[in-house]
Amino acid sequence: MSDRSLRGMRLGAQSMETEAGVEPAPRQRVEYRCEDGEQVFVTFSSEADVPQTWTSKTGKEARLVNGEKQEESNEKPVRTHWDMLLERRSIEELETILQDRLDKLRSARGAAMKA
């Protein structure tokens, strides 16, 4: 027994099933192109809604080749809390308020440390 090595299989490392008779889902290969001419190919399910734009690996926005161009909407952009705050206060006012609050917190923290 010492001259023979024991062989086993790791659990979950390899599947005992074969891919014989398995048919993959239908797919479509879609081409996108950046403004500088870079081509991007993406594979989607044949049932998937294909987006008009795709971000390439280089971070550039690519548009669908032979796709319909999206119409620019005239909707207002979403207003954030910061936008609404800037409508009521100026940056100088906000800095003053921030400094007042920080001073108040620091004085309260200093009083708690002394006690």
Side-chain angles (χ1 to χ4, degrees), residues 26-90:
R27 294 177 259 190
Q28 60 179 332
R29 188 170 188 228
V30 180
E31 179 183 359
Y32 291 90
R33 191 169 293 144
C34 297
E35 289 182 9
D36 63 355
E38 178 185 356
Q39 291 180 329
V40 179
F41 294 98
V42 183
T43 304
F44 292 101
S45 167
S46 62
E47 301 170 356
D49 293 331
V50 178
Q52 295 293 318
T53 59
W54 191 263
T55 305
S56 69
K57 291 181 182 178
T58 57
K60 296 181 242 175
E61 184 175 285
R63 299 210 177 269
L64 181 64
V65 174
N66 298 329
E68 299 174 5
K69 292 194 174 192
Q70 288 182 331
E71 298 178 12
E72 296 293 326
S73 63
N74 293 333
E75 296 178 14
K76 288 184 177 180
V78 177
R79 287 175 42 201
T80 63
H81 294 292
W82 179 249
D83 295 332
M84 290 184 264
L85 181 64
L86 288 179
E87 290 174 3
R88 295 189 309 269
R89 307 242 187 226
S90 68

